[in-house]
mmCIF file of all heavy atoms in Angstrom:
data_model
loop_
_atom_site.group_PDB
_atom_site.id
_atom_site.type_symbol
_atom_site.label_atom_id
_atom_site.label_comp_id
_atom_site.label_asym_id
_atom_site.label_seq_id
_atom_site.Cartn_x
_atom_site.Cartn_y
_atom_site.Cartn_z
ATOM 1 N N ASN M 1 0.835 -1.199 0.000
ATOM 2 C CA ASN M 1 0.000 0.000 0.000
ATOM 3 C C ASN M 1 0.868 1.247 0.000
ATOM 4 O O ASN M 1 1.970 1.249 0.551
ATOM 5 C CB ASN M 1 -0.910 0.021 1.238
ATOM 6 C CG ASN M 1 -1.829 -1.176 1.300
ATOM 7 O OD1 ASN M 1 -2.472 -1.522 0.321
ATOM 8 N ND2 ASN M 1 -1.879 -1.833 2.452
ATOM 9 N N TYR M 2 0.367 2.313 -0.589
ATOM 10 C CA TYR M 2 1.055 3.598 -0.491
ATOM 11 C C TYR M 2 0.023 4.706 -0.399
ATOM 12 O O TYR M 2 -1.118 4.565 -0.833
ATOM 13 C CB TYR M 2 2.005 3.827 -1.675
ATOM 14 C CG TYR M 2 1.331 4.148 -2.987
ATOM 15 C CD1 TYR M 2 1.087 5.473 -3.375
ATOM 16 C CD2 TYR M 2 0.952 3.134 -3.875
ATOM 17 C CE1 TYR M 2 0.481 5.768 -4.591
ATOM 18 C CE2 TYR M 2 0.339 3.418 -5.083
ATOM 19 C CZ TYR M 2 0.110 4.740 -5.435
ATOM 20 O OH TYR M 2 -0.496 5.036 -6.636
ATOM 21 N N SER M 3 0.441 5.821 0.192
ATOM 22 C CA SER M 3 -0.452 6.964 0.353
ATOM 23 C C SER M 3 0.365 8.243 0.351
ATOM 24 O O SER M 3 1.563 8.237 0.667
ATOM 25 C CB SER M 3 -1.255 6.849 1.656
ATOM 26 O OG SER M 3 -0.401 6.606 2.757
ATOM 27 N N SER M 4 -0.293 9.339 -0.006
ATOM 28 C CA SER M 4 0.358 10.643 -0.092
ATOM 29 C C SER M 4 0.150 11.413 1.208
ATOM 30 O O SER M 4 -0.953 11.405 1.762
ATOM 31 C CB SER M 4 -0.207 11.430 -1.276
ATOM 32 O OG SER M 4 0.377 12.712 -1.361
ATOM 33 N N TRP M 5 1.205 12.081 1.681
ATOM 34 C CA TRP M 5 1.157 12.784 2.963
ATOM 35 C C TRP M 5 1.757 14.185 2.845
ATOM 36 O O TRP M 5 2.580 14.446 1.962
ATOM 37 C CB TRP M 5 1.932 12.009 4.024
ATOM 38 C CG TRP M 5 1.326 10.701 4.390
ATOM 39 C CD1 TRP M 5 1.404 9.527 3.689
ATOM 40 C CD2 TRP M 5 0.533 10.419 5.547
ATOM 41 N NE1 TRP M 5 0.717 8.529 4.334
ATOM 42 C CE2 TRP M 5 0.169 9.047 5.481
ATOM 43 C CE3 TRP M 5 0.104 11.175 6.637
ATOM 44 C CZ2 TRP M 5 -0.601 8.427 6.462
ATOM 45 C CZ3 TRP M 5 -0.660 10.559 7.613
ATOM 46 C CH2 TRP M 5 -1.011 9.210 7.519
ATOM 47 N N LYS M 6 1.340 15.061 3.756
ATOM 48 C CA LYS M 6 1.989 16.362 3.914
ATOM 49 C C LYS M 6 3.116 16.275 4.939
ATOM 50 O O LYS M 6 4.092 17.022 4.853
ATOM 51 C CB LYS M 6 0.964 17.411 4.351
ATOM 52 C CG LYS M 6 -0.113 17.678 3.301
ATOM 53 C CD LYS M 6 -1.145 18.665 3.808
ATOM 54 C CE LYS M 6 -2.226 18.898 2.756
ATOM 55 N NZ LYS M 6 -3.296 19.807 3.241
ATOM 56 N N ALA M 7 2.948 15.387 5.915
ATOM 57 C CA ALA M 7 3.986 15.105 6.897
ATOM 58 C C ALA M 7 3.734 13.698 7.424
ATOM 59 O O ALA M 7 2.585 13.343 7.703
ATOM 60 C CB ALA M 7 3.964 16.119 8.036
ATOM 61 N N ALA M 8 4.779 12.904 7.545
ATOM 62 C CA ALA M 8 4.591 11.510 7.940
ATOM 63 C C ALA M 8 5.812 11.014 8.692
ATOM 64 O O ALA M 8 6.905 11.585 8.602
ATOM 65 C CB ALA M 8 4.327 10.634 6.714
ATOM 66 N N CYS M 9 5.607 9.932 9.422
ATOM 67 C CA CYS M 9 6.690 9.301 10.174
ATOM 68 C C CYS M 9 6.523 7.791 10.102
ATOM 69 O O CYS M 9 5.397 7.274 10.159
ATOM 70 C CB CYS M 9 6.668 9.774 11.628
ATOM 71 S SG CYS M 9 7.916 8.977 12.662
ATOM 72 N N ILE M 10 7.628 7.071 9.977
ATOM 73 C CA ILE M 10 7.641 5.618 10.044
ATOM 74 C C ILE M 10 8.736 5.206 11.015
ATOM 75 O O ILE M 10 9.656 5.963 11.304
ATOM 76 C CB ILE M 10 7.882 4.972 8.659
ATOM 77 C CG1 ILE M 10 9.169 5.518 8.020
ATOM 78 C CG2 ILE M 10 6.691 5.187 7.744
ATOM 79 C CD1 ILE M 10 9.514 4.875 6.683
ATOM 80 N N GLY M 11 8.608 3.982 11.531
ATOM 81 C CA GLY M 11 9.611 3.493 12.462
ATOM 82 C C GLY M 11 9.146 3.595 13.903
ATOM 83 O O GLY M 11 7.949 3.707 14.199
ATOM 84 N N GLU M 12 10.105 3.596 14.810
ATOM 85 C CA GLU M 12 9.818 3.593 16.240
ATOM 86 C C GLU M 12 9.135 4.897 16.661
ATOM 87 O O GLU M 12 9.467 5.980 16.169
ATOM 88 C CB GLU M 12 11.122 3.401 17.026
ATOM 89 C CG GLU M 12 10.924 3.066 18.473
ATOM 90 C CD GLU M 12 12.237 2.727 19.166
ATOM 91 O OE1 GLU M 12 13.301 3.028 18.596
ATOM 92 O OE2 GLU M 12 12.182 2.162 20.267
ATOM 93 N N ASN M 13 8.176 4.780 17.561
ATOM 94 C CA ASN M 13 7.440 5.931 18.100
ATOM 95 C C ASN M 13 6.723 6.729 17.014
ATOM 96 O O ASN M 13 6.537 7.941 17.156
ATOM 97 C CB ASN M 13 8.381 6.859 18.886
ATOM 98 C CG ASN M 13 8.905 6.214 20.152
ATOM 99 O OD1 ASN M 13 8.218 5.439 20.801
ATOM 100 N ND2 ASN M 13 10.142 6.537 20.504
ATOM 101 N N TYR M 14 6.310 6.056 15.943
ATOM 102 C CA TYR M 14 5.680 6.779 14.849
ATOM 103 C C TYR M 14 4.350 7.397 15.254
ATOM 104 O O TYR M 14 3.969 8.460 14.747
ATOM 105 C CB TYR M 14 5.478 5.865 13.642
ATOM 106 C CG TYR M 14 4.420 4.804 13.813
ATOM 107 C CD1 TYR M 14 3.111 5.027 13.405
ATOM 108 C CD2 TYR M 14 4.731 3.580 14.388
ATOM 109 C CE1 TYR M 14 2.140 4.052 13.579
ATOM 110 C CE2 TYR M 14 3.764 2.610 14.555
ATOM 111 C CZ TYR M 14 2.471 2.848 14.149
ATOM 112 O OH TYR M 14 1.509 1.893 14.325
ATOM 113 N N SER M 15 3.627 6.755 16.183
ATOM 114 C CA SER M 15 2.328 7.299 16.591
ATOM 115 C C SER M 15 2.486 8.616 17.338
ATOM 116 O O SER M 15 1.712 9.562 17.110
ATOM 117 C CB SER M 15 1.572 6.285 17.456
ATOM 118 O OG SER M 15 2.332 5.929 18.598
ATOM 119 N N ASN M 16 3.490 8.714 18.215
ATOM 120 C CA ASN M 16 3.750 9.969 18.919
ATOM 121 C C ASN M 16 4.187 11.053 17.946
ATOM 122 O O ASN M 16 3.764 12.213 18.056
ATOM 123 C CB ASN M 16 4.835 9.770 19.986
ATOM 124 C CG ASN M 16 4.378 8.874 21.108
ATOM 125 O OD1 ASN M 16 3.178 8.738 21.362
ATOM 126 N ND2 ASN M 16 5.328 8.250 21.796
ATOM 127 N N ALA M 17 5.025 10.677 16.991
ATOM 128 C CA ALA M 17 5.499 11.642 16.001
ATOM 129 C C ALA M 17 4.348 12.163 15.148
ATOM 130 O O ALA M 17 4.262 13.354 14.848
ATOM 131 C CB ALA M 17 6.573 11.013 15.122
ATOM 132 N N GLN M 18 3.449 11.260 14.741
ATOM 133 C CA GLN M 18 2.305 11.675 13.929
ATOM 134 C C GLN M 18 1.417 12.650 14.694
ATOM 135 O O GLN M 18 0.866 13.590 14.119
ATOM 136 C CB GLN M 18 1.494 10.457 13.502
ATOM 137 C CG GLN M 18 2.100 9.655 12.368
ATOM 138 C CD GLN M 18 2.154 10.409 11.048
ATOM 139 O OE1 GLN M 18 3.112 10.288 10.294
ATOM 140 N NE2 GLN M 18 1.139 11.184 10.745
ATOM 141 N N SER M 19 1.267 12.447 15.997
ATOM 142 C CA SER M 19 0.453 13.355 16.806
ATOM 143 C C SER M 19 1.053 14.757 16.835
ATOM 144 O O SER M 19 0.341 15.752 16.699
ATOM 145 C CB SER M 19 0.320 12.807 18.234
ATOM 146 O OG SER M 19 -0.334 11.569 18.247
ATOM 147 N N ILE M 20 2.373 14.824 16.979
ATOM 148 C CA ILE M 20 3.041 16.133 16.999
ATOM 149 C C ILE M 20 2.944 16.803 15.631
ATOM 150 O O ILE M 20 2.659 18.001 15.525
ATOM 151 C CB ILE M 20 4.518 15.969 17.414
ATOM 152 C CG1 ILE M 20 4.613 15.368 18.817
ATOM 153 C CG2 ILE M 20 5.239 17.317 17.368
ATOM 154 C CD1 ILE M 20 6.019 15.004 19.228
ATOM 155 N N LEU M 21 3.169 16.027 14.581
ATOM 156 C CA LEU M 21 3.083 16.578 13.230
ATOM 157 C C LEU M 21 1.679 17.110 12.940
ATOM 158 O O LEU M 21 1.508 18.166 12.326
ATOM 159 C CB LEU M 21 3.464 15.514 12.204
ATOM 160 C CG LEU M 21 4.937 15.090 12.164
ATOM 161 C CD1 LEU M 21 5.117 13.873 11.271
ATOM 162 C CD2 LEU M 21 5.813 16.234 11.680
ATOM 163 N N LYS M 22 0.675 16.377 13.388
ATOM 164 C CA LYS M 22 -0.705 16.791 13.159
ATOM 165 C C LYS M 22 -1.012 18.113 13.850
ATOM 166 O O LYS M 22 -1.735 18.970 13.324
ATOM 167 C CB LYS M 22 -1.656 15.697 13.656
ATOM 168 C CG LYS M 22 -3.117 15.962 13.341
ATOM 169 C CD LYS M 22 -3.986 14.799 13.777
ATOM 170 C CE LYS M 22 -5.451 15.068 13.454
ATOM 171 N NZ LYS M 22 -6.319 13.914 13.883
ATOM 172 N N GLN M 23 -0.448 18.310 15.035
ATOM 173 C CA GLN M 23 -0.701 19.525 15.796
ATOM 174 C C GLN M 23 0.093 20.717 15.277
ATOM 175 O O GLN M 23 -0.414 21.844 15.247
ATOM 176 C CB GLN M 23 -0.361 19.300 17.271
ATOM 177 C CG GLN M 23 -1.266 18.302 17.968
ATOM 178 C CD GLN M 23 -0.798 18.001 19.381
ATOM 179 O OE1 GLN M 23 0.215 18.533 19.838
ATOM 180 N NE2 GLN M 23 -1.515 17.130 20.077
ATOM 181 N N GLU M 24 1.334 20.480 14.864
ATOM 182 C CA GLU M 24 2.246 21.578 14.554
ATOM 183 C C GLU M 24 2.333 21.926 13.068
ATOM 184 O O GLU M 24 2.812 23.008 12.724
ATOM 185 C CB GLU M 24 3.656 21.236 15.062
ATOM 186 C CG GLU M 24 3.734 20.976 16.553
ATOM 187 C CD GLU M 24 3.423 22.213 17.373
ATOM 188 O OE1 GLU M 24 3.604 23.329 16.848
ATOM 189 O OE2 GLU M 24 2.989 22.051 18.524
ATOM 190 N N TYR M 25 1.883 21.041 12.211
ATOM 191 C CA TYR M 25 2.023 21.297 10.774
ATOM 192 C C TYR M 25 1.100 22.434 10.334
ATOM 193 O O TYR M 25 -0.082 22.457 10.697
ATOM 194 C CB TYR M 25 1.710 20.030 9.971
ATOM 195 C CG TYR M 25 2.002 20.166 8.490
ATOM 196 C CD1 TYR M 25 3.285 19.962 7.997
ATOM 197 C CD2 TYR M 25 1.004 20.520 7.589
ATOM 198 C CE1 TYR M 25 3.567 20.088 6.654
ATOM 199 C CE2 TYR M 25 1.276 20.659 6.244
ATOM 200 C CZ TYR M 25 2.553 20.439 5.787
ATOM 201 O OH TYR M 25 2.821 20.573 4.437
ATOM 202 N N LYS M 26 1.637 23.348 9.552
ATOM 203 C CA LYS M 26 0.870 24.494 9.048
ATOM 204 C C LYS M 26 0.231 24.116 7.717
ATOM 205 O O LYS M 26 0.914 23.985 6.701
ATOM 206 C CB LYS M 26 1.771 25.707 8.870
ATOM 207 C CG LYS M 26 2.390 26.205 10.171
ATOM 208 C CD LYS M 26 3.313 27.384 9.911
ATOM 209 C CE LYS M 26 3.979 27.861 11.194
ATOM 210 N NZ LYS M 26 4.930 28.978 10.935
ATOM 211 N N ASP M 27 -1.075 23.958 7.745
ATOM 212 C CA ASP M 27 -1.809 23.540 6.556
ATOM 213 C C ASP M 27 -2.398 24.745 5.855
ATOM 214 O O ASP M 27 -3.002 25.609 6.480
ATOM 215 C CB ASP M 27 -2.912 22.563 6.954
ATOM 216 C CG ASP M 27 -3.586 21.921 5.749
ATOM 217 O OD1 ASP M 27 -3.084 22.113 4.634
ATOM 218 O OD2 ASP M 27 -4.591 21.230 5.942
ATOM 219 N N GLU M 28 -2.266 24.789 4.534
ATOM 220 C CA GLU M 28 -2.775 25.921 3.742
ATOM 221 C C GLU M 28 -4.278 26.079 3.889
ATOM 222 O O GLU M 28 -4.803 27.168 4.081
ATOM 223 C CB GLU M 28 -2.397 25.721 2.278
ATOM 224 C CG GLU M 28 -2.839 26.851 1.348
ATOM 225 C CD GLU M 28 -4.187 26.571 0.707
ATOM 226 O OE1 GLU M 28 -4.531 25.408 0.546
ATOM 227 O OE2 GLU M 28 -4.900 27.538 0.408
ATOM 228 N N GLU M 29 -5.012 24.987 3.814
ATOM 229 C CA GLU M 29 -6.460 25.063 3.877
ATOM 230 C C GLU M 29 -6.938 25.512 5.246
ATOM 231 O O GLU M 29 -7.933 26.207 5.381
ATOM 232 C CB GLU M 29 -7.068 23.696 3.538
ATOM 233 C CG GLU M 29 -6.790 23.251 2.106
ATOM 234 C CD GLU M 29 -7.373 21.880 1.838
ATOM 235 O OE1 GLU M 29 -7.938 21.292 2.787
ATOM 236 O OE2 GLU M 29 -7.283 21.409 0.696
ATOM 237 N N LYS M 30 -6.194 25.115 6.291
ATOM 238 C CA LYS M 30 -6.629 25.415 7.637
ATOM 239 C C LYS M 30 -6.168 26.789 8.099
ATOM 240 O O LYS M 30 -6.890 27.520 8.760
ATOM 241 C CB LYS M 30 -6.076 24.343 8.583
ATOM 242 C CG LYS M 30 -6.638 24.396 9.988
ATOM 243 C CD LYS M 30 -6.038 23.282 10.827
ATOM 244 C CE LYS M 30 -6.393 21.922 10.267
ATOM 245 N NZ LYS M 30 -5.867 20.833 11.117
ATOM 246 N N ASP M 31 -4.909 27.157 7.738
ATOM 247 C CA ASP M 31 -4.327 28.375 8.268
ATOM 248 C C ASP M 31 -4.531 29.591 7.385
ATOM 249 O O ASP M 31 -4.616 30.697 7.877
ATOM 250 C CB ASP M 31 -2.814 28.169 8.494
ATOM 251 C CG ASP M 31 -2.545 27.093 9.532
ATOM 252 O OD1 ASP M 31 -3.449 26.866 10.357
ATOM 253 O OD2 ASP M 31 -1.469 26.496 9.504
ATOM 254 N N GLU M 32 -4.587 29.419 6.066
ATOM 255 C CA GLU M 32 -4.713 30.548 5.164
ATOM 256 C C GLU M 32 -5.730 30.242 4.073
ATOM 257 O O GLU M 32 -5.388 30.085 2.912
ATOM 258 C CB GLU M 32 -3.358 30.899 4.547
ATOM 259 C CG GLU M 32 -2.316 31.327 5.573
ATOM 260 C CD GLU M 32 -1.064 31.854 4.894
ATOM 261 O OE1 GLU M 32 -1.156 32.335 3.746
ATOM 262 O OE2 GLU M 32 0.002 31.785 5.510
ATOM 263 N N PRO M 33 -7.004 30.162 4.433
ATOM 264 C CA PRO M 33 -8.011 29.775 3.450
ATOM 265 C C PRO M 33 -8.225 30.810 2.369
ATOM 266 O O PRO M 33 -8.696 30.497 1.297
ATOM 267 C CB PRO M 33 -9.274 29.601 4.306
ATOM 268 C CG PRO M 33 -9.034 30.463 5.512
ATOM 269 C CD PRO M 33 -7.573 30.391 5.762
ATOM 270 N N SER M 34 -7.872 32.069 2.633
ATOM 271 C CA SER M 34 -8.125 33.122 1.659
ATOM 272 C C SER M 34 -6.992 33.318 0.670
ATOM 273 O O SER M 34 -7.113 34.090 -0.278
ATOM 274 C CB SER M 34 -8.384 34.453 2.399
ATOM 275 O OG SER M 34 -7.258 34.800 3.183
ATOM 276 N N SER M 35 -5.867 32.656 0.887
ATOM 277 C CA SER M 35 -4.744 32.853 -0.015
ATOM 278 C C SER M 35 -4.995 32.139 -1.328
ATOM 279 O O SER M 35 -5.670 31.127 -1.391
ATOM 280 C CB SER M 35 -3.447 32.318 0.621
ATOM 281 O OG SER M 35 -3.515 30.934 0.737
ATOM 282 N N GLY M 36 -4.411 32.670 -2.376
ATOM 283 C CA GLY M 36 -4.622 32.095 -3.696
ATOM 284 C C GLY M 36 -3.630 31.026 -4.054
ATOM 285 O O GLY M 36 -3.679 30.452 -5.131
ATOM 286 N N THR M 37 -2.691 30.721 -3.158
ATOM 287 C CA THR M 37 -1.668 29.734 -3.451
ATOM 288 C C THR M 37 -2.201 28.332 -3.212
ATOM 289 O O THR M 37 -3.160 28.117 -2.492
ATOM 290 C CB THR M 37 -0.432 29.961 -2.560
ATOM 291 O OG1 THR M 37 -0.835 29.887 -1.191
ATOM 292 C CG2 THR M 37 0.165 31.326 -2.836
ATOM 293 N N VAL M 38 -1.544 27.391 -3.844
ATOM 294 C CA VAL M 38 -1.933 25.988 -3.715
ATOM 295 C C VAL M 38 -0.800 25.240 -3.051
ATOM 296 O O VAL M 38 0.363 25.411 -3.398
ATOM 297 C CB VAL M 38 -2.240 25.375 -5.096
ATOM 298 C CG1 VAL M 38 -2.580 23.907 -4.954
ATOM 299 C CG2 VAL M 38 -3.376 26.132 -5.759
ATOM 300 N N GLY M 39 -1.121 24.367 -2.074
ATOM 301 C CA GLY M 39 -0.101 23.551 -1.443
ATOM 302 C C GLY M 39 0.200 24.018 -0.036
ATOM 303 O O GLY M 39 -0.444 24.897 0.511
ATOM 304 N N ALA M 40 1.197 23.395 0.557
ATOM 305 C CA ALA M 40 1.547 23.660 1.945
ATOM 306 C C ALA M 40 2.111 25.063 2.107
ATOM 307 O O ALA M 40 2.775 25.593 1.228
ATOM 308 C CB ALA M 40 2.569 22.633 2.414
#
């Protein structure tokens, strides 16, 4: 299986890393919905 990510972690402690990435990652759709740019 494969999937596309904006931020990802594999290996040891991946679940803790994913939680931090989910909280700290700056998402274009969430943080700047009015901007005309596409992507992170």
